[in-house]
mmCIF file of all heavy atoms in Angstrom:
data_model
loop_
_atom_site.group_PDB
_atom_site.id
_atom_site.type_symbol
_atom_site.label_atom_id
_atom_site.label_comp_id
_atom_site.label_asym_id
_atom_site.label_seq_id
_atom_site.Cartn_x
_atom_site.Cartn_y
_atom_site.Cartn_z
ATOM 1 N N LEU A 92 5.705 0.919 12.498
ATOM 2 C CA LEU A 92 4.366 0.458 13.042
ATOM 3 C C LEU A 92 4.281 0.775 14.547
ATOM 4 O O LEU A 92 3.334 1.236 14.999
ATOM 5 C CB LEU A 92 4.267 -0.951 12.766
ATOM 6 C CG LEU A 92 3.993 -1.364 11.254
ATOM 7 C CD1 LEU A 92 4.337 -2.843 11.073
ATOM 8 C CD2 LEU A 92 2.479 -1.090 10.989
ATOM 9 N N ARG A 93 5.401 0.485 15.242
ATOM 10 C CA ARG A 93 5.455 0.753 16.707
ATOM 11 C C ARG A 93 5.272 2.226 17.022
ATOM 12 O O ARG A 93 4.496 2.591 17.937
ATOM 13 C CB ARG A 93 6.692 0.207 17.299
ATOM 14 C CG ARG A 93 6.836 0.280 18.814
ATOM 15 C CD ARG A 93 8.210 -0.344 19.218
ATOM 16 N NE ARG A 93 8.302 -1.752 18.847
ATOM 17 C CZ ARG A 93 9.449 -2.294 18.709
ATOM 18 N NH1 ARG A 93 10.638 -1.627 18.892
ATOM 19 N NH2 ARG A 93 9.504 -3.602 18.428
ATOM 20 N N ARG A 96 1.389 3.581 15.431
ATOM 21 C CA ARG A 96 0.120 2.880 15.519
ATOM 22 C C ARG A 96 -0.905 3.727 16.354
ATOM 23 O O ARG A 96 -2.053 3.734 16.094
ATOM 24 C CB ARG A 96 0.252 1.495 16.056
ATOM 25 C CG ARG A 96 0.782 1.403 17.426
ATOM 26 C CD ARG A 96 1.077 -0.070 17.820
ATOM 27 N NE ARG A 96 1.581 -0.209 19.170
ATOM 28 C CZ ARG A 96 2.383 -1.165 19.546
ATOM 29 N NH1 ARG A 96 2.662 -2.151 18.706
ATOM 30 N NH2 ARG A 96 2.920 -1.269 20.789
ATOM 31 N N ASN A 100 -4.459 5.157 15.137
ATOM 32 C CA ASN A 100 -5.636 4.903 15.948
ATOM 33 C C ASN A 100 -6.381 6.131 16.275
ATOM 34 O O ASN A 100 -7.600 6.159 16.135
ATOM 35 C CB ASN A 100 -5.270 4.047 17.155
ATOM 36 C CG ASN A 100 -6.467 3.467 17.863
ATOM 37 O OD1 ASN A 100 -7.409 2.998 17.157
ATOM 38 N ND2 ASN A 100 -6.514 3.619 19.252
ATOM 39 N N VAL A 104 -7.919 5.392 11.719
ATOM 40 C CA VAL A 104 -7.409 4.604 10.602
ATOM 41 C C VAL A 104 -7.361 3.114 11.062
ATOM 42 O O VAL A 104 -6.720 2.790 12.130
ATOM 43 C CB VAL A 104 -5.986 5.080 10.161
ATOM 44 C CG1 VAL A 104 -5.394 4.088 9.118
ATOM 45 C CG2 VAL A 104 -6.049 6.430 9.532
ATOM 46 N N LYS A 105 -7.833 2.243 10.238
ATOM 47 C CA LYS A 105 -7.708 0.803 10.450
ATOM 48 C C LYS A 105 -6.523 0.321 9.636
ATOM 49 O O LYS A 105 -6.505 0.434 8.434
ATOM 50 C CB LYS A 105 -9.022 0.061 9.987
ATOM 51 C CG LYS A 105 -9.011 -1.479 10.113
ATOM 52 C CD LYS A 105 -10.066 -2.087 9.414
ATOM 53 C CE LYS A 105 -11.425 -1.720 10.070
ATOM 54 N NZ LYS A 105 -12.632 -2.466 9.452
ATOM 55 N N VAL A 106 -5.602 -0.144 10.538
ATOM 56 C CA VAL A 106 -4.360 -0.741 9.758
ATOM 57 C C VAL A 106 -4.652 -2.228 9.526
ATOM 58 O O VAL A 106 -5.099 -2.971 10.318
ATOM 59 C CB VAL A 106 -3.134 -0.621 10.638
ATOM 60 C CG1 VAL A 106 -1.890 -1.206 10.043
ATOM 61 C CG2 VAL A 106 -2.882 0.862 11.013
ATOM 62 N N ARG A 107 -4.241 -2.577 8.237
ATOM 63 C CA ARG A 107 -4.421 -3.993 7.780
ATOM 64 C C ARG A 107 -3.221 -4.507 7.177
ATOM 65 O O ARG A 107 -2.692 -3.846 6.272
ATOM 66 C CB ARG A 107 -5.679 -4.106 6.921
ATOM 67 C CG ARG A 107 -6.112 -5.512 6.543
ATOM 68 C CD ARG A 107 -7.546 -5.632 6.082
ATOM 69 N NE ARG A 107 -7.699 -4.646 4.849
ATOM 70 C CZ ARG A 107 -8.904 -4.335 4.349
ATOM 71 N NH1 ARG A 107 -9.978 -4.718 4.975
ATOM 72 N NH2 ARG A 107 -9.063 -3.587 3.225
ATOM 73 N N ILE A 120 6.005 -9.348 12.303
ATOM 74 C CA ILE A 120 4.683 -9.907 12.282
ATOM 75 C C ILE A 120 3.968 -9.464 13.553
ATOM 76 O O ILE A 120 2.767 -9.102 13.475
ATOM 77 C CB ILE A 120 4.710 -11.444 12.150
ATOM 78 C CG1 ILE A 120 5.275 -11.808 10.766
ATOM 79 C CG2 ILE A 120 3.380 -12.021 12.347
ATOM 80 C CD1 ILE A 120 5.639 -13.354 10.699
ATOM 81 N N ASP A 121 4.646 -9.555 14.674
ATOM 82 C CA ASP A 121 3.897 -9.060 15.926
ATOM 83 C C ASP A 121 3.527 -7.639 15.921
ATOM 84 O O ASP A 121 2.411 -7.369 16.366
ATOM 85 C CB ASP A 121 4.993 -9.185 17.136
ATOM 86 C CG ASP A 121 5.243 -10.705 17.451
ATOM 87 O OD1 ASP A 121 4.450 -11.625 17.011
ATOM 88 O OD2 ASP A 121 6.223 -10.958 18.216
ATOM 89 N N GLU A 122 4.316 -6.732 15.409
ATOM 90 C CA GLU A 122 3.898 -5.332 15.279
ATOM 91 C C GLU A 122 2.733 -5.142 14.323
ATOM 92 O O GLU A 122 1.831 -4.377 14.512
ATOM 93 C CB GLU A 122 5.061 -4.481 14.813
ATOM 94 C CG GLU A 122 6.250 -4.368 15.716
ATOM 95 C CD GLU A 122 5.717 -3.662 17.135
ATOM 96 O OE1 GLU A 122 4.759 -2.874 17.119
ATOM 97 O OE2 GLU A 122 6.421 -3.976 18.165
ATOM 98 N N LEU A 123 2.745 -5.886 13.184
ATOM 99 C CA LEU A 123 1.677 -5.811 12.225
ATOM 100 C C LEU A 123 0.388 -6.326 12.877
ATOM 101 O O LEU A 123 -0.703 -5.567 12.702
ATOM 102 C CB LEU A 123 1.944 -6.611 10.895
ATOM 103 C CG LEU A 123 2.991 -6.076 10.031
ATOM 104 C CD1 LEU A 123 3.559 -7.138 9.145
ATOM 105 C CD2 LEU A 123 2.357 -4.933 9.223
ATOM 106 N N GLU A 124 0.414 -7.372 13.638
ATOM 107 C CA GLU A 124 -0.761 -7.967 14.189
ATOM 108 C C GLU A 124 -1.258 -7.015 15.349
ATOM 109 O O GLU A 124 -2.463 -6.878 15.530
ATOM 110 C CB GLU A 124 -0.532 -9.342 14.677
ATOM 111 C CG GLU A 124 -0.356 -10.320 13.494
ATOM 112 C CD GLU A 124 -0.003 -11.778 13.975
ATOM 113 O OE1 GLU A 124 0.467 -11.887 15.150
ATOM 114 O OE2 GLU A 124 -0.098 -12.687 13.128
ATOM 115 N N GLU A 125 -0.308 -6.472 16.070
ATOM 116 C CA GLU A 125 -0.770 -5.522 17.208
ATOM 117 C C GLU A 125 -1.389 -4.338 16.622
ATOM 118 O O GLU A 125 -2.371 -3.839 17.203
ATOM 119 C CB GLU A 125 0.476 -5.192 18.008
ATOM 120 C CG GLU A 125 0.927 -6.346 18.993
ATOM 121 C CD GLU A 125 2.054 -5.888 19.915
ATOM 122 O OE1 GLU A 125 2.048 -4.731 20.250
ATOM 123 O OE2 GLU A 125 2.861 -6.793 20.262
ATOM 124 N N ALA A 126 -0.853 -3.808 15.691
ATOM 125 C CA ALA A 126 -1.477 -2.555 14.971
ATOM 126 C C ALA A 126 -2.911 -2.960 14.377
ATOM 127 O O ALA A 126 -3.928 -2.100 14.595
ATOM 128 C CB ALA A 126 -0.637 -2.076 13.758
ATOM 129 N N GLN A 127 -3.035 -4.138 13.794
ATOM 130 C CA GLN A 127 -4.351 -4.539 13.380
ATOM 131 C C GLN A 127 -5.331 -4.656 14.530
ATOM 132 O O GLN A 127 -6.537 -4.234 14.403
ATOM 133 C CB GLN A 127 -4.303 -5.986 12.693
ATOM 134 C CG GLN A 127 -3.653 -5.972 11.271
ATOM 135 C CD GLN A 127 -3.799 -7.258 10.563
ATOM 136 O OE1 GLN A 127 -3.928 -7.303 9.398
ATOM 137 N NE2 GLN A 127 -3.662 -8.353 11.242
ATOM 138 N N GLU A 128 -4.896 -5.287 15.602
ATOM 139 C CA GLU A 128 -5.861 -5.511 16.708
ATOM 140 C C GLU A 128 -6.215 -4.177 17.370
ATOM 141 O O GLU A 128 -7.375 -3.928 17.652
ATOM 142 C CB GLU A 128 -5.133 -6.399 17.843
ATOM 143 C CG GLU A 128 -5.884 -6.659 19.099
ATOM 144 C CD GLU A 128 -7.180 -7.461 18.723
ATOM 145 O OE1 GLU A 128 -7.267 -8.182 17.753
ATOM 146 O OE2 GLU A 128 -8.160 -7.326 19.569
ATOM 147 N N LEU A 129 -5.244 -3.272 17.458
ATOM 148 C CA LEU A 129 -5.619 -1.919 18.099
ATOM 149 C C LEU A 129 -6.537 -1.145 17.272
ATOM 150 O O LEU A 129 -7.407 -0.475 17.885
ATOM 151 C CB LEU A 129 -4.257 -1.130 18.234
ATOM 152 C CG LEU A 129 -4.392 0.212 18.816
ATOM 153 C CD1 LEU A 129 -4.767 0.285 20.260
ATOM 154 C CD2 LEU A 129 -2.998 1.010 18.670
ATOM 155 N N THR A 130 -6.436 -1.196 16.016
ATOM 156 C CA THR A 130 -7.218 -0.356 15.138
ATOM 157 C C THR A 130 -8.403 -1.031 14.416
ATOM 158 O O THR A 130 -9.058 -0.411 13.636
ATOM 159 C CB THR A 130 -6.324 0.269 14.056
ATOM 160 O OG1 THR A 130 -5.756 -0.778 13.227
ATOM 161 C CG2 THR A 130 -5.038 1.043 14.613
ATOM 162 N N LYS A 131 -8.704 -2.216 14.754
ATOM 163 C CA LYS A 131 -9.691 -2.907 14.010
ATOM 164 C C LYS A 131 -11.032 -2.408 13.944
ATOM 165 O O LYS A 131 -11.905 -2.809 13.036
ATOM 166 C CB LYS A 131 -9.791 -4.421 14.514
ATOM 167 C CG LYS A 131 -10.203 -4.631 15.967
ATOM 168 C CD LYS A 131 -10.171 -6.081 16.410
ATOM 169 C CE LYS A 131 -10.723 -6.192 17.817
ATOM 170 N NZ LYS A 131 -10.598 -7.712 18.172
#
Side-chain angles (χ1 to χ4, degrees):
L92 287 160
R93 185 179 299 155
R96 65 185 177 208
N100 193 40
V104 173
K105 178 188 294 184
V106 177
R107 187 162 58 193
I120 294 172
D121 287 347
E122 291 297 335
L123 286 162
E124 291 179 342
E125 286 186 31
Q127 284 190 144
E128 180 63 24
L129 176 67
T130 63
K131 65 182 180 182

